[in-house]
Amino acid sequence: MQHSLSLPEHKKIILFDGVCNLCNTAVQTIIKHDKKDVFRFVALQSESGIAIQKHIGIATRKIDSLVFYAPGVSYSYKSEAVLDIAKELGGIFSLAIVFKILPTPLLNSVYDYVAKNRYKWYGQQEHCWMPTPELKAKFL
């Protein structure tokens, strides 16, 4: 692993679209329910986000998806990332596991449909969302 990335130990990284209102709301929901302090967040468009994508071998021009990265273990994106995050959160979110019975291509087509329309439905910001000082430690 590259040390220049300086990833926090024992944390799982969520890469998200920093200008997407839906994505920012999802991040805030995850933070609220991350009782075990498992996750750290980084915008796909940020310097750190781009470095992580390159490190794990994702073409940065092609990705406009949520990415879940367990450093040194694995990564997932699109619907699989959503289900992996829900599993980590536990509680009511672990019920999302029921969607695993559906084929991944079907789940990803639903994910892609929402992703394609997210700006139209939820809007977007001109700049990446900036966390409050209290939440800053959760971001890379």
Side-chain angles (χ1 to χ4, degrees), residues 83 85-100:
L83 294 175
I85 292 165
K87 182 179 165 194
E88 285 288 335
L89 284 172
I92 192 85
F93 297 99
S94 60
L95 296 176
I97 198 74
V98 74
F99 290 106
K100 285 256 189 200

PDB file of all heavy atoms in Angstrom, residues 83 85-100:
ATOM      1  N   LEU A  83     -24.933  -1.869  -0.468  1.00  0.00           N
ATOM      2  CA  LEU A  83     -25.223  -3.026   0.388  1.00  0.00           C
ATOM      3  C   LEU A  83     -24.092  -3.278   1.393  1.00  0.00           C
ATOM      4  O   LEU A  83     -24.352  -3.623   2.550  1.00  0.00           O
ATOM      5  CB  LEU A  83     -25.493  -4.265  -0.461  1.00  0.00           C
ATOM      6  CG  LEU A  83     -26.759  -4.191  -1.325  1.00  0.00           C
ATOM      7  CD1 LEU A  83     -26.869  -5.411  -2.227  1.00  0.00           C
ATOM      8  CD2 LEU A  83     -28.004  -4.027  -0.473  1.00  0.00           C
ATOM      9  N   ILE A  85     -22.105  -0.993   2.688  1.00  0.00           N
ATOM     10  CA  ILE A  85     -22.207   0.065   3.698  1.00  0.00           C
ATOM     11  C   ILE A  85     -23.346  -0.246   4.666  1.00  0.00           C
ATOM     12  O   ILE A  85     -23.184  -0.135   5.882  1.00  0.00           O
ATOM     13  CB  ILE A  85     -22.398   1.446   3.030  1.00  0.00           C
ATOM     14  CG1 ILE A  85     -21.119   1.838   2.275  1.00  0.00           C
ATOM     15  CG2 ILE A  85     -22.772   2.514   4.066  1.00  0.00           C
ATOM     16  CD1 ILE A  85     -21.308   2.979   1.288  1.00  0.00           C
ATOM     17  N   ALA A  86     -24.492  -0.661   4.124  1.00  0.00           N
ATOM     18  CA  ALA A  86     -25.643  -1.008   4.970  1.00  0.00           C
ATOM     19  C   ALA A  86     -25.281  -2.140   5.933  1.00  0.00           C
ATOM     20  O   ALA A  86     -25.637  -2.098   7.113  1.00  0.00           O
ATOM     21  CB  ALA A  86     -26.834  -1.406   4.102  1.00  0.00           C
ATOM     22  N   LYS A  87     -24.545  -3.128   5.437  1.00  0.00           N
ATOM     23  CA  LYS A  87     -24.122  -4.254   6.281  1.00  0.00           C
ATOM     24  C   LYS A  87     -23.224  -3.767   7.422  1.00  0.00           C
ATOM     25  O   LYS A  87     -23.378  -4.180   8.565  1.00  0.00           O
ATOM     26  CB  LYS A  87     -23.390  -5.281   5.413  1.00  0.00           C
ATOM     27  CG  LYS A  87     -22.938  -6.511   6.148  1.00  0.00           C
ATOM     28  CD  LYS A  87     -22.242  -7.452   5.179  1.00  0.00           C
ATOM     29  CE  LYS A  87     -21.468  -8.502   5.917  1.00  0.00           C
ATOM     30  NZ  LYS A  87     -20.537  -9.223   5.045  1.00  0.00           N
ATOM     31  N   GLU A  88     -22.285  -2.868   7.105  1.00  0.00           N
ATOM     32  CA  GLU A  88     -21.382  -2.319   8.128  1.00  0.00           C
ATOM     33  C   GLU A  88     -22.139  -1.509   9.175  1.00  0.00           C
ATOM     34  O   GLU A  88     -21.803  -1.545  10.350  1.00  0.00           O
ATOM     35  CB  GLU A  88     -20.310  -1.429   7.488  1.00  0.00           C
ATOM     36  CG  GLU A  88     -19.227  -2.174   6.769  1.00  0.00           C
ATOM     37  CD  GLU A  88     -18.270  -2.910   7.700  1.00  0.00           C
ATOM     38  OE1 GLU A  88     -18.106  -2.526   8.871  1.00  0.00           O
ATOM     39  OE2 GLU A  88     -17.678  -3.887   7.232  1.00  0.00           O
ATOM     40  N   LEU A  89     -23.160  -0.768   8.733  1.00  0.00           N
ATOM     41  CA  LEU A  89     -23.939   0.045   9.669  1.00  0.00           C
ATOM     42  C   LEU A  89     -24.742  -0.824  10.633  1.00  0.00           C
ATOM     43  O   LEU A  89     -24.964  -0.449  11.771  1.00  0.00           O
ATOM     44  CB  LEU A  89     -24.882   0.985   8.916  1.00  0.00           C
ATOM     45  CG  LEU A  89     -24.243   2.202   8.275  1.00  0.00           C
ATOM     46  CD1 LEU A  89     -25.258   2.936   7.411  1.00  0.00           C
ATOM     47  CD2 LEU A  89     -23.646   3.141   9.309  1.00  0.00           C
ATOM     48  N   GLY A  90     -25.192  -1.972  10.137  1.00  0.00           N
ATOM     49  CA  GLY A  90     -25.968  -2.874  10.986  1.00  0.00           C
ATOM     50  C   GLY A  90     -27.346  -2.308  11.299  1.00  0.00           C
ATOM     51  O   GLY A  90     -27.848  -1.420  10.620  1.00  0.00           O
ATOM     52  N   GLY A  91     -27.956  -2.827  12.346  1.00  0.00           N
ATOM     53  CA  GLY A  91     -29.276  -2.373  12.756  1.00  0.00           C
ATOM     54  C   GLY A  91     -30.284  -2.506  11.632  1.00  0.00           C
ATOM     55  O   GLY A  91     -30.255  -3.465  10.865  1.00  0.00           O
ATOM     56  N   ILE A  92     -31.147  -1.542  11.520  1.00  0.00           N
ATOM     57  CA  ILE A  92     -32.202  -1.543  10.506  1.00  0.00           C
ATOM     58  C   ILE A  92     -31.615  -1.602   9.091  1.00  0.00           C
ATOM     59  O   ILE A  92     -32.214  -2.173   8.187  1.00  0.00           O
ATOM     60  CB  ILE A  92     -33.133  -0.319  10.680  1.00  0.00           C
ATOM     61  CG1 ILE A  92     -34.395  -0.451   9.825  1.00  0.00           C
ATOM     62  CG2 ILE A  92     -32.432   0.978  10.355  1.00  0.00           C
ATOM     63  CD1 ILE A  92     -35.473  -1.243  10.480  1.00  0.00           C
ATOM     64  N   PHE A  93     -30.422  -1.041   8.909  1.00  0.00           N
ATOM     65  CA  PHE A  93     -29.789  -1.017   7.593  1.00  0.00           C
ATOM     66  C   PHE A  93     -29.414  -2.415   7.113  1.00  0.00           C
ATOM     67  O   PHE A  93     -29.356  -2.667   5.913  1.00  0.00           O
ATOM     68  CB  PHE A  93     -28.551  -0.113   7.596  1.00  0.00           C
ATOM     69  CG  PHE A  93     -28.894   1.318   7.876  1.00  0.00           C
ATOM     70  CD1 PHE A  93     -28.746   1.840   9.154  1.00  0.00           C
ATOM     71  CD2 PHE A  93     -29.387   2.143   6.877  1.00  0.00           C
ATOM     72  CE1 PHE A  93     -29.076   3.152   9.419  1.00  0.00           C
ATOM     73  CE2 PHE A  93     -29.720   3.456   7.136  1.00  0.00           C
ATOM     74  CZ  PHE A  93     -29.566   3.968   8.413  1.00  0.00           C
ATOM     75  N   SER A  94     -29.166  -3.328   8.055  1.00  0.00           N
ATOM     76  CA  SER A  94     -28.789  -4.685   7.658  1.00  0.00           C
ATOM     77  C   SER A  94     -29.931  -5.400   6.936  1.00  0.00           C
ATOM     78  O   SER A  94     -29.715  -6.414   6.276  1.00  0.00           O
ATOM     79  CB  SER A  94     -28.299  -5.492   8.863  1.00  0.00           C
ATOM     80  OG  SER A  94     -29.312  -5.577   9.833  1.00  0.00           O
ATOM     81  N   LEU A  95     -31.142  -4.881   7.033  1.00  0.00           N
ATOM     82  CA  LEU A  95     -32.264  -5.458   6.296  1.00  0.00           C
ATOM     83  C   LEU A  95     -32.079  -5.333   4.783  1.00  0.00           C
ATOM     84  O   LEU A  95     -32.699  -6.065   4.010  1.00  0.00           O
ATOM     85  CB  LEU A  95     -33.585  -4.812   6.715  1.00  0.00           C
ATOM     86  CG  LEU A  95     -34.012  -5.036   8.165  1.00  0.00           C
ATOM     87  CD1 LEU A  95     -35.297  -4.265   8.461  1.00  0.00           C
ATOM     88  CD2 LEU A  95     -34.191  -6.518   8.456  1.00  0.00           C
ATOM     89  N   ALA A  96     -31.215  -4.430   4.367  1.00  0.00           N
ATOM     90  CA  ALA A  96     -30.947  -4.249   2.936  1.00  0.00           C
ATOM     91  C   ALA A  96     -30.364  -5.511   2.310  1.00  0.00           C
ATOM     92  O   ALA A  96     -30.400  -5.678   1.095  1.00  0.00           O
ATOM     93  CB  ALA A  96     -30.006  -3.064   2.719  1.00  0.00           C
ATOM     94  N   ILE A  97     -29.863  -6.412   3.145  1.00  0.00           N
ATOM     95  CA  ILE A  97     -29.273  -7.658   2.652  1.00  0.00           C
ATOM     96  C   ILE A  97     -30.281  -8.445   1.807  1.00  0.00           C
ATOM     97  O   ILE A  97     -29.906  -9.225   0.945  1.00  0.00           O
ATOM     98  CB  ILE A  97     -28.721  -8.514   3.830  1.00  0.00           C
ATOM     99  CG1 ILE A  97     -27.749  -9.561   3.329  1.00  0.00           C
ATOM    100  CG2 ILE A  97     -29.828  -9.157   4.613  1.00  0.00           C
ATOM    101  CD1 ILE A  97     -26.419  -9.001   2.926  1.00  0.00           C
ATOM    102  N   VAL A  98     -31.575  -8.214   2.039  1.00  0.00           N
ATOM    103  CA  VAL A  98     -32.607  -8.905   1.266  1.00  0.00           C
ATOM    104  C   VAL A  98     -32.445  -8.639  -0.234  1.00  0.00           C
ATOM    105  O   VAL A  98     -32.784  -9.487  -1.058  1.00  0.00           O
ATOM    106  CB  VAL A  98     -34.018  -8.534   1.769  1.00  0.00           C
ATOM    107  CG1 VAL A  98     -34.406  -7.136   1.352  1.00  0.00           C
ATOM    108  CG2 VAL A  98     -35.054  -9.528   1.289  1.00  0.00           C
ATOM    109  N   PHE A  99     -31.885  -7.497  -0.604  1.00  0.00           N
ATOM    110  CA  PHE A  99     -31.698  -7.166  -2.015  1.00  0.00           C
ATOM    111  C   PHE A  99     -30.621  -8.013  -2.677  1.00  0.00           C
ATOM    112  O   PHE A  99     -30.545  -8.077  -3.905  1.00  0.00           O
ATOM    113  CB  PHE A  99     -31.389  -5.673  -2.183  1.00  0.00           C
ATOM    114  CG  PHE A  99     -32.576  -4.806  -1.883  1.00  0.00           C
ATOM    115  CD1 PHE A  99     -32.632  -4.079  -0.710  1.00  0.00           C
ATOM    116  CD2 PHE A  99     -33.644  -4.740  -2.761  1.00  0.00           C
ATOM    117  CE1 PHE A  99     -33.735  -3.286  -0.419  1.00  0.00           C
ATOM    118  CE2 PHE A  99     -34.753  -3.958  -2.482  1.00  0.00           C
ATOM    119  CZ  PHE A  99     -34.801  -3.233  -1.299  1.00  0.00           C
ATOM    120  N   LYS A 100     -29.786  -8.699  -1.868  1.00  0.00           N
ATOM    121  CA  LYS A 100     -28.739  -9.567  -2.420  1.00  0.00           C
ATOM    122  C   LYS A 100     -29.336 -10.724  -3.220  1.00  0.00           C
ATOM    123  O   LYS A 100     -28.636 -11.344  -4.009  1.00  0.00           O
ATOM    124  CB  LYS A 100     -27.845 -10.110  -1.298  1.00  0.00           C
ATOM    125  CG  LYS A 100     -26.877  -9.093  -0.756  1.00  0.00           C
ATOM    126  CD  LYS A 100     -25.505  -9.358  -1.272  1.00  0.00           C
ATOM    127  CE  LYS A 100     -24.498  -8.480  -0.566  1.00  0.00           C
ATOM    128  NZ  LYS A 100     -23.279  -8.356  -1.299  1.00  0.00           N
TER     129      LYS A 100
END
